[in-house]
Amino acid sequence: MNWIKKTLRFGEKIKKIIRERASKDEIANSDWTSCCKGPILKKDLEDNLMVCPSCNKHHRINPRSRFDIVFGKNNYDVLETPIPQDDPLKWNDSKPYTERLNSARKKTGMSCGIMVVKTNIKNINLTAIASDFNFIGGSIGAAEGEAFLYGIQNAIENQQPFVVFTSGGGMRMMESLISLSQMTRTTLAINELKKNNLPYIVVLTDPTAGGITASYAMLGDIHLAEPGALIAFAGARVIQGTVREELPDGFQRSEYVEKTGFVDLIVERKDLREKIGTLLSILLKKNSAINTTINETTEDSRTLTKAAS
Ligand SMILES: [Zn+2]
């Protein structure tokens, strides 16, 4: 029976290793994170816009960092959006939904998972929104739907383009049908934006999935994506289990999705500001109500004009 004793001892060792592993909070509060070459200082990543200098992985960032990078620090105003009643279905799974909401708010400093700002790029005023993946996986509930609609309303009232940075796993199951109805609401709001001939640019960031992909993330005039972002509806394992076929390399990543036509351009984080600015200039020039001047002679502009047409 020696082997039983040995197995038990081995089990104890494994338990000890698991116990000694850093907790999620400890990792979040540490100066270090990890990428392709092992540990890397968060500061070094931040200095490079949270993009790994070795493998070019675009690490996830929160809305404020996103706006700082694309629109410039202190070059945007955060708009306060209406917050509907919390937890309308009194949802309780492994813990109450209200508890999840409270800890998400504490963690992110946001009242819901979407931040709305008014800002400008290349002298073009615009409304932009971004989701925070740390807010219950960037999922969409009634409050996020309200924030989206508030953003579009602001864009229409001020006759401005609307730019969305997507991120999230889909609709929020704790709000069941109420969250699913946000797919319809956001789609109808986008139709209103389009009736006003206002540009709608979507920037797909890692990860964009589920009902987000099935609604507002795929309705842009232009779809940009950061390199390597997961862009999917259902998960790869679910698809593989259904079709019973080996899925191709890079399945559901930006580069693959670009080939299948759902993404127009893959843009590195450092180039987003320039590309969005040029695209908006091109799109607004098409709209006779708003005149902007652009230099269309560069190769870059020609490529973007092609993407915009
Ligand atoms: Zn890396």
Side-chain angles (χ1 to χ4, degrees):
M1 299 304 266
N2 223 5
W3 65 272
I4 296 179
K5 278 183 188 167
K6 270 187 185 172
T7 312
L8 285 173
R9 268 206 300 272
F10 184 65
E12 280 305 310
K13 266 188 190 171
I14 298 270
K15 270 188 197 167
K16 197 170 171 238
I17 290 167
I18 291 171
R19 270 201 302 272
E20 283 172 2
R21 270 175 56 179
S23 70
K24 267 187 182 176
D25 281 348
E26 279 171 334
I27 294 170
N29 296 327
S30 146
D31 290 338
W32 294 85
T33 184
S34 64
C35 197
C36 53
K37 292 196 170 165
I40 180 168
L41 270 170
K42 282 182 187 164
K43 177 83 181 62
D44 289 348
L45 259 188
E46 279 162 17
D47 289 346
N48 201 36
L49 311 179
M50 292 301 281
V51 175
C52 174
S54 306
C55 68
N56 202 36
K57 178 177 173 177
H58 282 51
H59 288 254
R60 292 170 191 167
I61 53 175
N62 64 26
R64 277 198 188 272
S65 308
R66 171 73 60 192
F67 297 142
D68 285 351
I69 291 168
V70 181
F71 305 121
K73 267 192 178 158
N74 307 320
N75 188 39
Y76 56 86
D77 292 320
V78 178
L79 303 178
E80 207 173 307
T81 61
I83 300 294
Q85 182 203 342
D86 281 350
D87 195 14
L89 305 177
K90 312 281 173 237
W91 181 278
N92 195 353
D93 45 79
S94 57
K95 55 177 150 171
Y97 175 36
T98 45
E99 210 175 288
R100 290 183 195 278
L101 274 174
N102 289 341
S103 66
R105 283 176 179 149
K106 208 169 144 199
K107 197 161 139 191
T108 60
M110 289 165 58
S111 46
C112 78
I114 283 185
M115 189 178 276
V116 184
V117 294
K118 57 177 183 176
T119 180
N120 58 69
I121 204 166
K122 289 192 177 186
N123 293 324
I124 299 168
N125 290 328
L126 60 98
T127 308
I129 70 167
S131 295
D132 194 333
F133 191 75
N134 282 319
F135 199 105
I136 318 184
S139 56
I140 303 295
E144 288 71 19
E146 284 299 322
F148 191 98
L149 264 59
Y150 192 85
I152 289 215
Q153 203 177 358
N154 189 68
I156 293 174
E157 272 169 16
N158 296 294
Q159 291 293 290
Q160 294 172 347
F162 188 55
V163 177
V164 172
F165 298 90
T166 64
S167 166
M171 299 297 124
R172 188 172 298 161
M173 68 168 193
M174 299 84 161
E175 293 190 25
S176 189
L177 199 61
I178 296 168
S179 75
L180 289 177
S181 71
Q182 306 312 317
M183 293 168 73
T184 321
R185 297 181 81 215
T186 52
T187 304
L188 291 172
I190 293 162
N191 283 349
E192 287 304 309
L193 192 75
K194 293 190 176 180
K195 274 186 208 161
N196 280 269
N197 291 326
L198 295 167
Y200 173 41
I201 293 185
V202 177
V203 184
L204 300 148
T205 77
D206 184 63
T208 299
I212 298 174
T213 310
S215 60
Y216 65 87
M218 286 293 148
L219 296 171
D221 298 316
I222 308 273
H223 294 150
L224 309 180
E226 286 194 329
L230 176 81
I231 302 163
F233 177 60
R237 265 184 301 177
V238 175
I239 296 172
Q240 188 149 356
T242 309
V243 299
R244 294 174 199 281
E245 275 178 35
E246 201 58 35
L247 298 173
D249 281 348
F251 185 66
Q252 295 182 330
R253 294 285 161 188
S254 309
E255 295 71 13
Y256 184 89
V257 182
E258 186 193 26
K259 278 189 206 141
T260 52
F262 288 95
V263 165
D264 297 302
L265 280 175
I266 295 176
V267 182
E268 302 224 348
R269 193 167 287 165
K270 64 180 167 52
D271 300 327
L272 274 175
R273 177 183 172 77
E274 183 61 32
K275 290 281 194 289
I276 293 172
T278 310
L279 278 168
L280 286 178
S281 304
I282 296 167
L283 290 167
L284 290 173
K285 202 181 171 210
K286 286 183 172 182
N287 179 354
S288 57
I290 306 163
N291 293 314
T292 54
T293 52
I294 57 157
N295 174 6
E296 282 184 278
T297 55
T298 62
E299 185 59 35
D300 195 37
S301 287
R302 274 199 293 276
T303 316
L304 291 174
T305 307
K306 207 172 139 201
S309 59

